[in-house]
Structures are given as structure tokens and as C-alpha cells.
Amino acid sequence: MDVTAAAKHSFTVNLSILFGELPLLERPAAAAAAGFTAAELWWPFGTEHTPSQAELDALRKAFGEAGVRLAGLNFLDDLSRGARGTVSVPSERDRFRANVPVAAELAASLGATALNALYGNRIEGVEPAEQDALALENLVLAAEAAHGIGAILLIEALNKAESPDYPLVSAAAAVDVVDKVNAATGLGNAKFLCDLYHLAKNGEDLAAVIDTYADRIGHVQIADNPGRNEPGTGELDFEDLFARLSAAGYTGSIGLEYRPSTGVSADSFGWLPRELRAAR
């Protein structure tokens, strides 16, 4: 693909999905060997909302020795057991709130400037309004914690095919939550995580999403559709999308959050010249 538009952006690599063939603590070094200097992570400790100091220190050491900055981190998301976040789930209230300062401290220690809070699935027997009220309370706490370390709070829409019980399955729904959090905190640091793969899988007009919500976008993530593999394996026109993001004034980074089509992460970056992989 033509990388003219890509050259205007900075890229990060999501180490929860890329280099997944390696143990977690080996992934920062593998990313560095591939030319990347910044990475993102889903919550890396499974269902442990307060990992041990040894676990935290080991992760910090792995990033430090690799010379890779952690650019973004999820709060407790429980993805390892099929959940899609814990923010709106009543039974997870205490675990999420205990996780907030832990995640914020870890993020701050590794230079992260973005924290992502996945909303959580709808729960049978619980009124949606009750879940939404809890989510707002929790997101206010998360936004305040993010603000305390100079970071933004990200709210993400997922796709309904893969996450049928997740309520934020459109850009408009995610941005509505962003606006409510900002109104409640007055901080203005809640932003839309514009994941182009999820939005494309939902059938959204990506150009219209970029143009409409450019002022709310705090981060962009990509994977091709269909397949959730690297750019060039599906139908999305990334050259056009990168150009549209630039034209709309987006100056943030773009996170690579795809599964390598061959199963070998190091072989999936051919579309992005090595000189463009280091964060700028």
C-alpha cells in the first residue's frame, strides 16, 4: 500500500494481541526488535484486579529494558473470561474501583497517557438504567484518576457480532457516554476510542465517523475487515482512512490491534515501513 498518508501518523503496537505467541514479558523486547518504541495493553493480569508488587515490577522491568513506552492501558476488563469490561457490572463494582488506582499508577510509571475503560456487558435481570448509572459513577472516578496522571480516559465501541451483550456498538453511543462523563467531571479528558475495525464490522460509514467526531477522538485502533488481520488482508482502504484522519485534524497515535494473518506477528508489519514504526 502507499504509505504517504501513514507517514503523517505515529503508531503503537498492542501487545495483548500482537506477539501473543510469546510470553507477556518477552513481548516488549520483540516489539522493539520490530522497530516499535510504544505499545498498548489490555489489562495484562487476567482477573487479578490488584496484582502483586512482583508482577507489576516484572512488567515495568520488561518495558524498561526493551526501551518501549507503554502508551495506553486498559482498566480491569476481564477479557480473559469473556467479559467486555467491568464498568457497568454491579457485581464488579468493588473490584473495578480497587483496580482504578493500581492501573493509574502502573500507567503513570510507564509513561502511558491513555487509559481505556471498557463499558461491560448487559447483565440479565439488571435494568439497563441501573447499569448506566453505575457506569457513569465509575467512569467519573476513572476520569479523575486519569487526569491525576495527565492522561485521557477512553470509551470504546465494540462490534455487536463479537460482543452481542455489549451496549456501545456505535460511534454515537460511545460518544454519548464520553459527553456525559465530561459533563459530570468538568475535566474534558474523556475521549472516544475510534476502533475502525469494530466500527466497520458494525457497518458504519468510517469517513462519516471521522468527520463527525474528530474533535472527540482520543485514540484510533486498526485491523482490517473482515478477519481482524493486518492492513491489506481485507477490504478497508487504510490509505484513505489515514488521510481522512489527518485532514480532520487528528494528531494522535494509531494502535495496531490486529491478529497476524500467518500467526507470526513479526511477519505482519510489511505494510508499514520500519522507519515509520517508531513513535514520534
Side-chain angles (χ1 to χ4, degrees), residues 27-114:
R27 295 177 202 172
F36 294 96
T37 59
E40 325 171 359
L41 282 173
W42 301 337
W43 180 245
F45 302 106
T47 60
E48 294 181 64
H49 59 289
T50 53
S52 69
Q53 191 62 49
E55 290 175 299
L56 294 167
D57 289 344
L59 187 65
R60 292 188 181 100
K61 181 180 179 183
F63 273 87
E65 291 183 345
V68 173
R69 181 176 71 87
L70 181 67
L73 176 69
N74 283 19
F75 286 108
L76 178 69
D77 50 36
D78 275 9
L79 294 176
S80 62
R81 62 180 182 182
R84 293 294 183 269
T86 54
V87 168
S88 67
V89 181
S91 63
E92 301 289 358
R93 175 184 179 276
D94 292 342
R95 292 179 70 242
F96 176 80
R97 294 187 180 187
N99 174 252
V100 166
V102 176
E105 181 180 2
L106 177 62
S109 70
L110 290 171
T113 55

Side-chain angles (χ1 to χ4, degrees), residues 155-255:
I155 309 296
E156 182 176 10
L158 302 182
N159 76 77
K160 55 192 172 187
E162 297 171 347
S163 303
D165 298 320
Y166 190 84
L168 307 184
V169 290
S170 69
V175 169
D176 181 61
V177 174
V178 166
D179 290 345
K180 288 177 179 175
V181 174
N182 284 332
T185 65
L187 297 173
N189 70 326
K191 298 287 183 179
F192 172 42
L193 198 171
C194 181
D195 187 309
L196 296 175
Y197 165 74
H198 287 304
L199 298 175
K201 199 165 179 66
N202 283 332
E204 294 213 43
D205 181 334
L206 300 184
V209 168
I210 291 169
D211 291 344
T212 302
Y213 300 117
D215 63 328
R216 316 292 223 300
I217 295 175
H219 186 45
V220 174
Q221 291 176 334
I222 63 168
D224 216 334
N225 182 55
R228 199 172 186 175
N229 302 130
E230 65 267 23
T233 56
E235 301 171 352
L236 298 186
D237 184 347
F238 285 100
E239 183 66 17
D240 178 70
L241 292 168
F242 293 156
R244 288 182 180 275
L245 285 164
S246 295
Y250 178 72
T251 59
S253 62
I254 294 175

Side-chain angles (χ1 to χ4, degrees), residues 141-158:
L141 295 175
E144 291 171 345
H147 178 74
I149 64 168
I152 60 173
L153 173 71
L154 296 171
I155 309 296
E156 182 176 10
L158 302 182

Side-chain angles (χ1 to χ4, degrees), residues 17-35:
I17 188 168
L18 280 158
F19 297 105
E21 64 268 31
L22 298 173
L24 174 63
L25 297 181
E26 295 179 16
R27 295 177 202 172

